[in-house]
Amino acid sequence: MRATDAERALVRGTVTTYFEALKLTERRFGAGDVAELDVTRARTEVAATESEALALDRRRAELEHALAVLVGEPASTFQLRESAWDTSLPIIRAGVPGTVLARRPDVSAAQLSLLAAQQRVGVAKAAWFPNVTLTATGGQASTDISDLFKWSARAWTVGALLAMPIFDGGRRQAGVDNASAEMDAALARYREQLLVAFRDVEDQLSALHLLAEQAEAQGRAVTAASRSTALSNTRYRNGLVSQLELLDAQRSELRNRRQALSVRSAQYQATVGLVRALGGGWDA
């Protein structure tokens, strides 16, 4: 929204500049210094830039309506006033611990799934133990324990063993194997989610680094384009260059200024992306 407001102000300011150039060209045309073609070109630039300003008005209205939905208000009654885009980018401190990624919903969900799978493995392995009571009233040992080991040797024959619950033709082993496989899958998903989280952080950090360099280069381009426009305007007023040269310089300055705004907007969006990638910020 702030980037759009800044761009609207820039484009509307350019419309004013073009309109002043149009009036100058019309005066020179009336005095016979320039041809009608120059007047037509100036009018074209004014109209085309006005059209771009109206497109930005429409874009702002869409953003305003989207914000209305986020705050739960009707779009027709919600209004966000224009204000200066004077906030500075936050400083990202060094040494942010990787543990902050545990706050991400996707990482937390994968972690909990892994813990649940580990619990299921424990349950499956516990099914191997005989179903006997270990303690009795008063903290004494249960008679089930002594009965278990008082069985005669005949009770440990193959037929008797197969009749016991723990000898079930491999069902319990299959349960352990299945739970172990589910834990392996959960571990793989958890590892993958961690890799995605680290990639998201790296993407935004790389973007911020490169955008800082791009902003610096674009700033130099804006300075040069502004100087070129000033020189072309002076030479045009003195009749030393054609209107085409002035229009070309003005278009170049507008294009570079809008590109600078785009880069600045991308820096802020990358910062928001980093906050999201870190699960809410870089404070542990």
Side-chain angles (χ1 to χ4, degrees):
M1 175 69 83
R2 294 308 176 208
T4 302
D5 285 342
E7 190 173 7
R8 288 173 71 229
L10 171 63
V11 173
R12 291 202 174 278
T14 304
V15 170
T16 301
T17 301
Y18 284 171
F19 189 71
E20 292 174 354
L22 171 61
K23 290 191 294 184
L24 173 62
T25 305
E26 288 176 337
R27 288 197 301 269
R28 294 186 64 182
F29 172 68
D33 292 339
V34 298
E36 183 182 359
L37 179 60
D38 290 344
V39 177
T40 305
R41 285 172 178 160
R43 288 174 179 170
T44 300
E45 290 299 321
V46 170
T49 312
E50 284 180 338
S51 175
E52 293 181 15
L54 291 171
L56 289 171
D57 290 344
R58 177 174 56 83
R59 172 62 178 159
R60 190 187 193 281
E62 293 173 350
L63 291 170
E64 194 172 59
H65 296 164
L67 286 173
V69 173
L70 287 177
V71 300
E73 294 187 13
S76 58
T77 59
F78 180 81
Q79 190 174 22
L80 185 68
R81 293 181 301 173
E82 294 186 34
S83 64
W85 190 14
D86 53 6
T87 56
S88 58
L89 285 170
I91 299 176
I92 305 169
R93 65 179 180 84
V96 178
T99 52
V100 299
L101 295 179
R103 299 178 302 189
R104 287 175 51 128
D106 52 353
V107 173
S108 178
Q111 187 180 51
L112 292 175
S113 295
L114 175 59
L115 293 175
Q118 290 175 330
Q119 292 292 329
R120 287 192 291 271
V121 171
V123 171
K125 288 183 176 179
W128 275 101
F129 291 92
N131 186 18
V132 297
T133 303
L134 299 180
T135 59
T137 305
Q140 300 298 317
S142 171
T143 57
D144 287 353
I145 299 178
S146 58
D147 290 342
L148 177 64
F149 292 100
K150 285 180 181 177
W151 292 342
S152 64
R154 292 179 59 85
W156 292 91
T157 60
V158 174
L161 291 176
L162 291 177
M164 294 176 65
I166 59 175
F167 296 97
D168 54 3
R171 182 173 63 83
R172 281 176 172 74
Q173 182 60 50
V176 173
D177 294 341
N178 181 69
S180 298
E182 289 182 352
M183 189 184 73
D184 290 341
L187 179 61
R189 288 193 296 270
Y190 179 55
R191 181 177 182 276
E192 178 185 13
Q193 202 59 58
L194 279 179
L195 291 175
V196 170
F198 281 115
R199 184 203 64 191
D200 290 344
V201 173
E202 289 290 340
D203 285 348
Q204 303 307 326
L205 289 174
S206 298
L208 286 170
H209 175 70
L210 294 174
L211 284 169
E213 296 182 356
Q214 186 180 358
E216 182 181 353
Q218 193 60 43
R220 296 196 301 268
V222 168
T223 300
S226 179
R227 179 60 178 165
S228 177
T229 298
L231 293 174
S232 297
N233 187 48
T234 300
R235 289 169 62 84
Y236 175 70
R237 289 177 180 274
N238 293 328
L240 299 177
V241 297
S242 67
Q243 185 198 41
L244 281 176
E245 183 174 324
L246 174 61
L247 289 176
D248 185 64
Q250 290 174 329
R251 292 193 200 102
S252 177
E253 181 181 1
L254 177 60
R255 181 175 63 252
N256 279 284
R257 288 188 180 277
R258 295 180 75 172
Q259 180 62 25
L261 285 173
S262 177
V263 173
R264 187 184 181 195
S265 176
Q267 286 179 291
Y268 280 71
Q269 292 182 42
T271 302
V272 174
L274 180 59
V275 169
R276 183 187 298 112
L278 291 173
W282 40 83
D283 294 329

